Amino acid sequence: MLTKLTHRAIVVFTLISSVMAQGGGYALDFAGNDGCSAASCSNFVEVSWSTNMSTYTVSVWVKSNSANPAVWRSYFNSYNQSSDGIQLDCDGSGNYRFLSNAGSDIFGSVVTTWTHIAVSANGSNTYLYYNGSLVTTNSWVENTWNQIELGRNRNEDRPGNYQIDEVRVWNASLTQSQIQAWMHKPIDTNHGNYSNSTSDNLKAYYQMSNGSGTSLTDNSANSNTGTLTNMDNNDWVTSNAPISTLTSDYTTDAEALWSGSGTSASDASNGLSMTVSSTLAEANFAVFGNNNSAGTTIADVPSGVEARSARIWQVDESGTVAANVTIDISDVTDYTVTAGTASNYKLLYRSGTSGDFSTLASGSSKSGDAVTFSSVSISDGYLA
């Protein structure tokens, strides 16, 4: 067993151009709700629903069309009166909020770029997540449901001026690791809570796949179709939510670099993370997952390179992204590593799924066993 990599060992970055970002998909835009304060003028989507749930998870990608929406301006609710049910809205002080009769709390700041909001309840506690981070735990649960509505509040007098995408409703309390692992990729049957022997855990799933018309398809197995009211084809807009359909072998620990991550490092996908020098524009993002391999291999390496990592990340890039790529060699290989001179490590490139790699960049700095490659132009493809 190899326990130490020499200073000439190689960390690999491979690219291919066969994947399309979900950012080319659709979102629903409730811009017509700006200034509306009556049921008659509300733009909303309604889904018939008759099952109370004290154990559930709701997640949604949301983008506010206003920097500071007025209080009660909502984009999701579960009841047709303000006396019961839950509501995802704004508190009037620039924060996304969870509101219910059982209790209320804050997710985080409202921004005019895409943000991931999730709430999970387990029958005793309610957990709020903002861009995958747990922000608060509350010892109460609201369990009343008689509808699902997108785009307006329970009282029907404060509809929200937002764009929304990837709305998911479960009758299971998902963990933080599950929320993080799937927030940047569509749900499929590989999800541990997609279904089980007693019930379908994924009760409703709205990918906004229609792109036109006045029906909202439920992409779960349950046919909970939504009906658009006071809306038309103009309310279907291009989505730049950082979501990607990665190749099935490269979906482990999917992460993203997007406007919501600012200039701090993205969460690491099993050893690889990215940073940018300034916050990305909304249309510019990169989603990446890996093949969950460890160790090294000599397959397809260019002349002069001893070995590359067996772990490969697929990257799906939208727009234009130039990032610093940092790879933690110990995390990637599962070996105990002492990194040598940074410039001795090479970032490799391959345009297709086979053939030899070529050298794309040399390491510019290191910290411990983590090597950074600076200002890399990110393209669709595979990282390893």
Side-chain angles (χ1 to χ4, degrees):
M1 172 65 73
L2 180 63
T3 59
K4 180 176 179 180
L5 297 181
T6 71
H7 72 280
R8 294 176 64 194
I10 301 299
V11 177
V12 179
F13 181 109
T14 68
L15 302 174
I16 190 169
S17 57
S18 61
V19 182
M20 293 299 293
Q22 184 73 14
Y26 294 99
L28 276 176
D29 189 355
F30 296 90
N33 283 331
D34 190 22
C36 172
S37 297
S40 60
C41 63
S42 298
N43 294 356
F44 66 96
V45 178
E46 187 168 78
V47 181
S48 296
W49 193 267
S50 59
T51 304
N52 286 332
M53 296 191 296
S54 59
T55 299
Y56 66 87
T57 302
V58 175
S59 67
V60 57
W61 279 96
V62 59
K63 173 190 172 184
S64 178
N65 292 321
S66 170
N68 186 15
V71 66
W72 300 309
R73 294 289 179 176
S74 176
Y75 51 95
F76 181 98
N77 79 73
S78 74
Y79 208 76
N80 64 357
Q81 298 177 30
S82 58
S83 59
D84 256 320
I86 71 171
Q87 178 171 303
L88 305 182
D89 66 4
C90 180
D91 66 352
S93 297
N95 297 303
Y96 285 119
R97 176 178 66 172
F98 176 90
L99 180 65
S100 76
N101 279 19
S104 63
D105 214 328
I106 300 302
F107 290 100
S109 299
V110 171
V111 292
T112 55
T113 55
W114 287 99
T115 302
H116 190 263
I117 297 293
V119 53
S120 179
N122 64 5
S124 300
N125 298 312
T126 298
Y127 306 89
L128 305 186
Y129 299 91
Y130 182 85
N131 285 336
S133 296
L134 176 64
V135 292
T136 184
T137 300
N138 298 282
S139 57
W140 40 257
V141 171
E142 179 65 58
N143 63 2
T144 50
W145 293 65
N146 69 3
Q147 66 179 15
I148 293 175
E149 274 195 351
L150 311 178
R152 70 175 180 179
N153 61 327
R154 295 171 296 172
N155 211 39
E156 302 178 358
D157 60 354
R158 293 293 187 274
N161 180 15
Y162 305 95
Q163 294 181 30
I164 58 173
D165 197 359
E166 283 287 319
V167 180
R168 306 165 180 180
V169 180
W170 313 75
N171 68 345
S173 181
L174 301 189
T175 65
Q176 181 176 13
S177 61
Q178 288 176 306
I179 292 169
Q180 290 175 332
W182 289 86
M183 60 187 279
H184 294 295
K185 59 185 181 182
I187 299 297
D188 59 35
T189 55
N190 292 313
H191 193 288
N193 289 93
Y194 185 87
S195 64
N196 60 29
S197 59
T198 58
S199 65
D200 291 322
N201 288 163
L202 181 62
K203 303 305 292 183
Y205 180 26
Y206 304 107
Q207 289 183 285
M208 311 303 170
S209 57
N210 303 84
S212 63
T214 57
S215 291
L216 180 60
T217 296
D218 176 11
N219 299 103
S220 78
N222 300 303
S223 300
N224 287 308
T225 303
T227 300
L228 281 63
T229 299
N230 297 329
M231 304 179 75
D232 58 28
N233 289 347
N234 292 327
D235 298 305
W236 294 94
V237 297
T238 298
S239 174
N240 288 313
I243 305 161
S244 174
T245 303
L246 299 170
T247 302
S248 59
D249 290 339
Y250 296 88
T251 59
T252 301
D253 197 12
E255 304 292 350
L257 182 71
W258 88 105
S259 57
S261 57
T263 58
S264 60
S266 68
D267 288 334
S269 175
N270 294 133
L272 183 146
S273 60
M274 299 184 188
T275 61
V276 288
S277 59
S278 58
T279 301
L280 294 170
E282 176 192 310
N284 301 330
F285 62 86
V287 179
F288 48 99
N290 70 83
N291 64 351
N292 202 30
S293 294
T296 59
T297 179
I298 62 173
D300 305 323
V301 296
S303 177
V305 172
E306 288 186 352
R308 64 171 177 86
S309 62
R311 182 166 300 163
I312 298 174
W313 291 260
Q314 183 182 7
V315 173
D316 186 9
E317 181 262 352
S318 180
T320 301
V321 178
N324 298 328
V325 178
T326 298
I327 301 179
D328 188 307
I329 303 172
S330 294
D331 287 350
V332 168
T333 62
D334 289 342
Y335 297 153
T336 300
V337 173
T338 299
T341 303
S343 60
N344 289 331
Y345 294 87
K346 309 301 178 183
L347 197 57
L348 304 184
Y349 170 82
R350 186 167 69 182
S351 62
T353 55
S354 62
D356 290 340
F357 296 103
S358 60
T359 299
L360 178 64
S362 298
S364 58
S365 63
K366 70 165 188 170
S367 177
D369 56 2
V371 177
T372 296
F373 304 88
S374 297
S375 301
V376 177
S377 294
I378 306 300
S379 302
D380 289 348
Y382 295 96
L383 310 178

